[in-house]
């Protein structure tokens, strides 16, 4: 059985660096996604990667606000990796959008709706269409360098999605959408316990504050040692993913490998 990986989206920021890291630290095929400019995304992912076979990378069009595009990409993946011959060993599901709201009066309905559509419904639709490729109980999951021992579906969350750790308030839409991601992660992991047993787990990830467009407005408020480059964030997140055990399933983990409480 041929393992493969999914990074969605991978057009910039953490997703771009994770796709590049998988190509350089593993030998499996990588499916990266972007909403547009697929050729440009492919060039960015491969740029400067010496010794990497370019045919290991496939770039598919996915817009998490458009379920049909997710379904179409899943159909393409099915043709590339037939389930009788291959399985999805690692999925890094990374959609993210933030509108900061300091007070209730700043909540905008359309912005809040878009936040949930991107941060919560997007990952749910990716699970709907791509979870079919994860191992089943009877799948022969192969040990592979640079990858976790079991298949992992990892969804990007955030520390501010923690209800018990919320001492500041604000960011209503973003907090709520990420708390929902943590619930989806747990619920999906319960499903995987039945369908895959010990062959696949679901986790959520908190990358810290990373120098991407999502957090740019807040860089000035973060100490230099707590503001990470996308390259560093990608490295630390892969360390966390690769070190998870079955006891860690269904929970949210930060870039240090410490649990983010629900």
């Amino acid at each position: 059985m041929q393992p493969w990986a999914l990074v969605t989206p991978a057009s910039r920021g953490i997703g771009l660096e994770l796709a590049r890291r998988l190509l350089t630290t593993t030998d499996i095929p990588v499916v990266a996604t972007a909403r547009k400019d697929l050729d440009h995304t492919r060039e960015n992912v491969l740029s400067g990667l010496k010794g990497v076979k370019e045919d290991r990378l496939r770039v598919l069009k996915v817009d998490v606000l458009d379920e049909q595009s997710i379904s179409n990409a899943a159909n393409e993946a099915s043709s590339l990796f037939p389930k009788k011959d291959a399985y999805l060993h690692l999925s890094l599901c990374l959609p993210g959008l933030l509108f900061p709201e300091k007070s209730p009066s700043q909540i905008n309905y359309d912005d809040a709706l878009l936040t949930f559509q991107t941060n919560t419904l997007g990952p749910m639709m990716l699970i709907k269409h791509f979870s079919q490729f994860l191992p089943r109980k009877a799948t022969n999951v192969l040990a592979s360098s640079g990858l976790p021992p079991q298949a992992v579906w990892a969804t990007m969350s955030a520390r501010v999605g923690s209800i018990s750790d919320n001492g500041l308030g604000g960011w209503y839409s973003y907090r709520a959408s990420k708390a929902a991601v943590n619930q989806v992660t747990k619920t999906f992991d319960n499903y995987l316990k039945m369908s895959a047993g010990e062959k696949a787990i679901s986790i959520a990830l908190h990358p810290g504050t990373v120098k991407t467009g999502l957090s740019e407005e807040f860089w000035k408020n973060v100490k230099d040692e707590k503001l990470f480059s996308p390259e560093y964030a990608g490295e630390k997140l892969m360390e966390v993913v690769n070190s998870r055990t079955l006891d860690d399933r269904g929970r949210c983990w930060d870039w240090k490998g410490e649990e983010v409480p629900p």
Side-chain angles (χ1 to χ4, degrees):
M1 297 284 282
Q2 169 66 63
W4 57 281
L6 171 69
V7 184
T8 177
S11 53
R12 59 183 180 175
I14 298 174
L16 173 62
E17 295 306 324
L18 284 168
R20 288 170 57 81
R21 179 160 291 274
L22 284 171
L23 287 169
T24 56
T25 61
T26 77
D27 59 5
I28 67 171
V30 175
V31 173
T33 78
R35 287 188 301 117
K36 57 184 180 179
D37 299 331
L38 303 190
D39 290 340
H40 182 64
T41 295
R42 179 178 179 82
E43 291 174 6
N44 284 345
V45 172
L46 292 172
S47 177
L49 300 187
K50 297 180 180 180
V52 172
K53 295 181 179 179
E54 295 186 4
D55 61 358
R56 284 178 51 209
L57 175 66
R58 300 297 182 108
V59 182
L60 305 182
K61 182 177 181 179
V62 166
D63 181 346
V64 296
L65 301 180
D66 177 9
E67 185 182 359
Q68 188 60 55
S69 77
I70 301 173
S71 176
N72 292 344
N75 288 336
E76 288 187 66
S78 184
S79 298
L80 293 169
F81 307 107
K83 282 180 278 187
K84 64 181 179 64
D85 301 319
Y87 69 92
L88 178 58
H89 194 102
L90 177 60
S91 174
L92 298 167
C93 180
L94 313 168
L97 184 67
L98 168 61
F99 294 101
E101 307 125 339
K102 295 181 180 179
S103 70
S105 64
Q106 293 179 319
I107 300 172
N108 175 277
Y109 182 91
D110 291 334
D111 289 346
L113 179 61
L114 183 59
T115 300
F116 275 90
Q117 288 175 318
T118 304
N119 296 354
T120 309
L121 289 176
M124 285 176 64
M125 292 301 100
L126 287 163
I127 288 171
K128 173 182 176 179
H129 292 283
F130 277 90
S131 61
Q132 62 177 306
F133 302 113
L134 290 168
R136 309 291 290 184
K137 288 180 179 178
T139 303
N140 181 24
V141 174
L142 304 177
S144 186
S145 176
L147 293 172
Q150 65 280 312
V152 173
W153 185 287
T155 305
M156 192 67 80
S157 185
R159 185 173 297 280
V160 296
S162 169
I163 296 173
S164 60
D165 191 37
N166 181 1
L168 295 176
W171 293 23
Y172 293 84
S173 304
Y174 188 72
R175 284 185 185 275
S177 70
K178 292 301 187 178
V181 163
N182 295 342
Q183 180 67 281
V184 170
T185 294
K186 176 63 176 179
T187 302
F188 182 42
D189 189 68
N190 287 337
Y191 169 81
L192 290 177
K193 287 180 181 178
M194 295 184 293
S195 64
E198 297 182 352
K199 302 291 180 70
I201 67 173
S202 171
I203 61 172
L205 297 172
H206 166 58
T209 304
V210 184
K211 295 186 73 172
T212 66
L214 179 75
S215 63
E216 185 171 4
E217 182 179 343
F218 315 105
W219 293 353
K220 62 181 181 297
N221 299 322
V222 180
K223 295 179 180 179
D224 288 344
E225 64 271 19
K226 292 295 183 74
L227 184 59
F228 305 143
S229 68
E231 294 86 352
Y232 181 79
E235 176 185 353
K236 300 305 291 185
L237 290 178
M238 280 306 304
E239 288 178 3
V240 172
V241 168
N242 287 344
S243 61
R244 292 312 88 190
T245 69
L246 293 173
D247 291 336
D248 299 330
R249 63 189 309 161
R251 294 185 277 168
C252 181
W253 303 93
D254 74 5
W255 59 275
K256 300 187 297 294
E258 298 176 359
E259 183 178 4
V260 177

